[in-house]
Amino acid sequence: MKYPFVIVGAGLAGLTIAERIANVLNQKVLIIEKRPHIAGNVYDFYNDDGILIQKYGPHTFHTNNKKVYDYLSQFTKWRDYQHRVMSYVNGHYVPFPISIETINQLYNKNLTSEEMFEFIENRKVSIDDVRTSEDVVLSNAGIELYEIFFKNFTIKQWGVSPAELDKTVISRIPFRNNRDTRYFTDIYQGQPLYGYTRMAEAMCDHPNINIMLKTDYKDIINHIEYDNLIYTGPIDYFFDFCYGELRYRSVRMQFETHDLESYQPAPSTRYPNDYDYTRITEFKKLTGQVHSKTTILKEFPCDEGEPYYPFPTEEWKVVAGKYRKKAENEEKSFFLGRLAEYRYYDMDDVVEAALNLFSFLYSIK
């Protein structure tokens, strides 16, 4: 048979646009996925101890986009959840991002909002042209807080100094002049009540959607009749690495199950200066699951492995730009998502981009 649409990748980007095509256009969709499961990097499952864990690292849904929230709410109920993170520095856990509570606990003070403002202002470094992640922190918080919270963490995370990274890397982390210890302040926050995989299964539960797992699309694409291709995989792979392989940062995941009810004081703890790992996630604190044991995840950033993060330096932005320019000339092929666009996307960004692409495709039908 001939498919109006073939989608490469069964992550949130691919599933969102597949669901829209199947339901709104009432057209057949074939999804080709190289992994043995759907849901992409948000895939979760119950481990041998019966604890729900996220295989590719922790994910927390948050957005100010009502359209995205309402769309996903068709496929899941939500567990009310406000993500909180602590940073282990100087032998203590303190709230992160930096807020009044962070400074008060770190320096044993009792600052007011006005005093917090003065505290930070007196430490800021004046930088006329903020270009790097190091510039962002120095101009917002000063040298001491930069070295305590950011310098070594960034080196572990990316393998390079913050002085070499684009300013957008750390610009995503806020500095607060209040006592709000939540990591995100978005209007809509939560965890899918029964997990991300269950949500993903609901998204593709339609007779118009066919899925092939454990399949490299290049092995079969020349044997399929189709009108349009929506590609969510690595853009350099699509073009046979004609400009060379793009650089990504990966993470080695180390899961541990402990015979404890609670392992740490928060769902996520950062380790900027101690140990080789960057953070520990305790999944029960994300999902609200009640269990006598607990499973944690230690993350060790590395260069080899699954391509998680596009590398945010000027060198790789230039190479990615060449690939994106080449992609513009592909007729009836559309590139969508973090890997296909070589851009960092949060979950809501991915879903919004997929909905926008569908609106474009719908308008030209």
Side-chain angles (χ1 to χ4, degrees):
M1 67 175 294
K2 183 176 183 179
Y3 287 95
F5 292 91
V6 168
I7 298 175
V8 177
L12 282 182
L15 293 178
T16 297
I17 199 160
E19 184 279 327
R20 291 288 79 192
I21 292 169
N23 275 297
V24 178
L25 300 185
N26 193 28
Q27 292 186 345
K28 293 287 186 181
V29 181
L30 174 63
I31 301 176
I32 306 171
E33 169 58 54
K34 69 174 183 178
R35 288 171 170 169
H37 58 74
I38 64 170
N41 285 353
V42 301
Y43 173 73
D44 53 17
F45 67 101
Y46 288 92
N47 66 10
D48 292 341
D49 291 286
I51 298 172
L52 183 63
I53 65 173
Q54 298 172 4
K55 180 174 181 176
Y56 303 99
H59 291 81
T60 300
F61 180 76
H62 60 97
T63 189
N64 288 315
N65 190 324
K66 188 175 187 301
K67 180 177 74 171
V68 170
Y69 176 76
D70 288 345
Y71 172 75
L72 291 179
S73 295
Q74 299 175 84
F75 311 106
T76 185
K77 295 180 179 178
W78 298 97
R79 173 181 178 249
D80 290 337
Y81 173 79
Q82 303 279 325
H83 192 52
R84 283 181 166 81
V85 175
M86 304 201 83
S87 191
Y88 184 78
V89 295
N90 299 342
H92 300 283
Y93 292 103
V94 297
F96 190 85
I98 295 172
S99 66
I100 294 177
E101 294 299 326
T102 309
I103 299 302
N104 283 342
Q105 292 181 32
L106 187 63
Y107 293 99
N108 195 26
K109 292 181 177 294
N110 189 27
L111 300 179
T112 64
S113 181
E114 293 77 12
E115 290 168 337
M116 168 70 170
F117 178 79
E118 183 178 351
F119 180 92
I120 296 295
E121 282 297 311
N122 290 337
R123 286 162 172 76
K124 288 182 178 180
V125 177
S126 179
I127 300 176
D128 293 332
D129 186 13
V130 176
R131 294 186 177 185
T132 70
S133 284
E134 181 178 81
D135 294 340
V136 170
V137 183
L138 293 179
S139 61
N140 279 279
I143 294 175
E144 186 175 8
L145 294 177
Y146 166 68
E147 292 185 342
I148 291 174
F149 289 100
F150 296 98
K151 181 179 179 179
N152 293 328
F153 184 91
T154 306
I155 291 171
K156 285 198 291 184
Q157 179 73 35
W158 294 102
V160 298
S161 165
E164 299 178 57
L165 295 178
D166 188 89
K167 64 182 179 180
T168 58
V169 176
I170 287 181
S171 293
R172 299 174 65 250
I173 301 174
F175 298 87
R176 298 195 181 122
N177 196 34
N178 57 34
R179 297 181 183 276
D180 190 349
T181 60
R182 295 175 301 163
Y183 197 80
F184 306 113
T185 58
D186 301 74
I187 297 172
Y188 307 102
Q189 300 188 44
Q191 293 283 352
L193 187 59
Y194 303 109
Y196 287 100
T197 300
R198 287 280 293 275
M199 180 182 76
E201 289 170 349
M203 293 174 73
C204 59
D205 184 15
H206 194 285
N208 281 340
I209 299 176
N210 295 327
I211 302 176
M212 298 181 66
L213 299 177
K214 297 189 288 187
T215 304
D216 186 326
Y217 88 100
K218 286 190 176 183
D219 291 339
I220 65 170
I221 196 65
N222 292 331
H223 304 287
I224 301 172
E225 288 189 77
Y226 63 94
D227 293 324
N228 301 279
L229 180 72
I230 298 171
Y231 182 77
T232 71
I235 191 171
D236 53 350
Y237 180 66
F238 182 91
F239 291 111
D240 298 317
F241 309 109
C242 65
Y243 300 124
E245 290 189 44
L246 287 167
R247 184 176 180 184
Y248 294 90
R249 194 66 167 160
S250 188
V251 180
R252 179 173 63 84
M253 308 285 185
Q254 181 175 308
F255 293 90
E256 300 174 2
T257 298
H258 296 268
D259 196 10
L260 302 167
E261 292 234 355
S262 176
Y263 183 87
Q264 61 187 18
S268 178
T269 55
R270 294 163 54 101
Y271 290 83
N273 305 308
D274 298 271
Y275 311 109
D276 292 335
Y277 44 83
T278 50
R279 67 177 172 180
I280 296 178
T281 298
E282 187 171 4
F283 289 103
K284 287 198 318 183
K285 289 183 167 66
L286 291 178
T287 63
Q289 185 179 3
V290 177
H291 198 288
S292 60
K293 296 183 180 182
T294 193
T295 298
I296 65 168
L297 167 63
K298 294 177 180 177
E299 296 181 41
F300 299 82
C302 57
D303 288 321
E304 301 299 323
E306 293 282 347
Y308 288 125
Y309 305 105
F311 212 82
T313 60
E314 191 60 33
E315 174 188 2
W316 297 105
K317 287 169 64 177
V318 169
V319 179
K322 293 180 180 179
Y323 278 116
R324 286 196 288 265
K325 187 69 175 177
K326 192 173 181 64
E328 293 174 2
N329 297 320
E330 287 289 316
E331 291 187 9
K332 296 189 175 183
S333 291
F334 304 90
F335 296 77
L336 175 66
R338 182 186 295 194
L339 299 179
E341 300 178 59
Y342 200 72
R343 291 190 173 100
Y344 185 86
Y345 277 127
D346 282 328
M347 274 187 284
D348 61 328
D349 298 325
V350 168
V351 175
E352 180 183 20
L355 293 174
N356 289 341
L357 177 56
F358 171 75
S359 295
F360 169 74
L361 293 173
Y362 187 68
S363 70
I364 63 176
K365 290 297 168 188

